Amino acid sequence: MDRTKQFILHFILFACLLIFGAVGYIVIEGWSFMDALYMTVITLATVGYGEVHEISPEGRLFTVILIFLGVGFFLYVVGNVIQFLVEGRIRHVLGRRILDKQISKLKDHFIVCGYGRVGRALGSYLIQKYIDVVVIEQNSNRVSVMDEDGILYIMGGATDEAILMKAGIKRARGIISVLGSDADNVFLVLIAKRLNPKIFVVARANQNETEQTLYSAGADKVVSPFALGARRIAHAILRPNVIHFLELAFADDDTDINVEEIPVNVSSKLVNVSLQESGLRQNFDLIIISIRKADGAMCFNPKASHRFEAGDTVIAVGSGNGLMQAAKIFNP
């Protein structure tokens, strides 16, 4: 039973007690309504003001019954309040322990720092892609939202080393900093890279001038939502069909066209195999639009004779099923 319904029930029971007591004194003693109500109130409140009028033996017996009912009601209310407090505390403690246990088991997950509008949308998207996510948020007003979304989270400051360690930064694949200020994002990037130099760091830049600072601090990728939004609007005007294709390719559920990047593992049977001999187009109906080499060089529209190497990242377009099958070959 929720708190509102419980409060209404308590109020109804108390009103019934008042009515029962007043009617009882009116019937037994023949008092006026105000005298009967007053006697009922001081009896239930146990204030000890004494009897309003001389009371008969039947009236005294009724008063005893009324006192027992009042004490019982008081104990019932107190018991519900204590139960609510204890259960709420136990629920909070157990819930926190379950969250901490789940977080401690994660590996190759992503840490999202900040659960505002951007952080929430980002976390939702990553979860849809079956990627483990841990959120670090210090605003307690967002706890109910995170509980509702069913996301793993830790309350605290993202720039606190102890909090980052608790979020598993040593085991994480990447960390995404979408804090409110650029100064906090820069500080977080510095701490994250010091705790785990190999972690992939994506940071948001609220000001264009901060972008280079974030890269200097160690960020692997810096995103400016305002600049991206402006370019997106411009491209929608200048290249509407290109944008339409990209929207289809990056949509989640509306289409089976996908753009994906697939790492080439050293154990893959396609290592040192040419694009033409790989059978990717014939077997999986994929289009290889680019290959990123281990040194960062990008090979756009690779030739049929191009050979895959360990450490390459293949960027392909195709159906979700075809991409999944190719991923099993490139990264067994």
Side-chain angles (χ1 to χ4, degrees):
M1 185 182 298
D2 59 40
R3 282 181 286 179
T4 302
K5 291 182 179 179
Q6 205 166 53
F7 175 79
I8 293 174
L9 177 61
H10 293 165
F11 180 79
I12 292 174
L13 289 176
F14 183 67
C16 290
L17 270 178
L18 291 178
I19 294 171
F20 173 74
V23 171
Y25 285 120
I26 291 172
V27 172
I28 296 173
E29 302 295 340
W31 294 347
S32 66
F33 175 75
M34 286 305 300
D35 287 345
L37 181 62
Y38 179 74
M39 183 66 182
T40 301
V41 170
I42 64 175
T43 300
L44 293 177
T46 65
V47 295
Y49 283 161
E51 298 168 354
V52 179
H53 302 291
E54 288 291 331
I55 192 169
S56 64
E58 293 83 2
R60 293 181 184 276
L61 178 61
F62 178 76
T63 301
V64 171
I65 295 173
L66 190 60
I67 290 173
F68 276 112
L69 289 175
V71 171
F73 171 74
F74 174 76
L75 293 176
Y76 170 73
V77 172
V78 171
N80 279 336
V81 171
I82 294 175
Q83 181 183 19
F84 169 75
L85 295 175
V86 172
E87 285 184 351
R89 181 60 184 168
I90 291 176
R91 193 182 300 114
H92 173 75
V93 172
L94 291 179
R96 186 66 259 172
R97 286 183 178 176
I98 292 173
L99 285 175
D100 290 343
K101 188 174 181 180
Q102 290 175 324
I103 292 171
S104 66
K105 294 180 179 179
L106 293 181
K107 188 178 181 181
D108 292 332
H109 58 289
F110 279 87
I111 302 172
V112 177
C113 301
Y115 205 66
R117 288 178 298 177
V118 176
R120 186 180 186 187
L122 177 61
S124 174
Y125 183 80
L126 292 176
I127 290 175
Q128 287 178 12
K129 295 298 181 180
Y130 304 102
I131 296 174
D132 292 323
V133 176
V134 176
V135 171
I136 299 177
E137 176 57 59
Q138 63 179 356
N139 188 345
S140 58
N141 294 329
R142 292 173 179 162
V143 171
S144 59
V145 176
M146 292 186 288
D147 286 334
E148 180 183 343
D149 293 344
I151 198 164
L152 299 177
Y153 66 89
I154 296 174
M155 295 302 299
T159 55
D160 186 334
E161 292 188 17
I163 296 294
L164 289 171
M165 293 297 292
K166 192 174 181 180
I169 191 170
K170 295 284 189 181
R171 309 183 307 274
R173 191 197 317 179
I175 184 168
I176 306 165
S177 179
V178 285
L179 301 177
S181 72
D182 286 341
D184 288 339
N185 287 322
V186 171
F187 190 41
L188 175 57
V189 171
L190 290 169
I191 296 175
K193 279 296 187 180
R194 183 168 62 81
L195 294 177
N196 185 356
K198 296 181 179 179
I199 196 169
F200 188 81
V201 179
V202 180
R204 179 177 73 176
N206 296 308
Q207 302 293 331
N208 292 333
E209 310 84 62
T210 315
E211 186 173 339
Q212 190 56 49
T213 304
L214 286 165
Y215 277 122
S216 300
D220 297 283
K221 185 67 178 176
V222 178
V223 178
S224 175
F226 303 107
L228 282 178
R231 284 197 294 268
R232 172 67 178 79
I233 294 172
H235 289 317
I237 297 172
L238 301 173
R239 305 176 182 87
N241 292 316
V242 173
I243 292 299
H244 180 63
F245 168 75
L246 292 176
E247 287 177 343
L248 289 176
F250 287 104
D252 298 323
D253 302 314
D254 298 336
T255 180
D256 198 30
I257 301 174
N258 292 274
V259 178
E260 192 60 81
E261 60 177 64
I262 308 171
V264 180
N265 194 285
V266 67
S267 61
S268 173
K269 66 180 183 180
L270 293 182
V271 172
N272 204 32
V273 174
S274 69
L275 178 58
Q276 184 177 14
E277 296 169 343
S278 67
L280 294 174
R281 181 62 186 266
Q282 298 87 339
N283 298 330
F284 308 118
D285 199 22
L286 299 182
I287 300 175
I288 307 301
I289 59 177
S290 181
I291 298 176
R292 187 178 190 273
K293 310 303 291 183
D295 60 2
M298 191 72 75
C299 177
F300 294 100
N301 191 23
K303 296 180 179 180
S305 59
H306 186 97
R307 296 184 177 275
F308 297 108
E309 299 177 357
D312 286 353
T313 300
V314 178
I315 301 173
V317 179
S319 67
N321 183 60
L323 290 167
M324 187 181 302
Q325 295 300 320
K328 292 179 181 179
I329 296 176
F330 277 119
N331 194 19

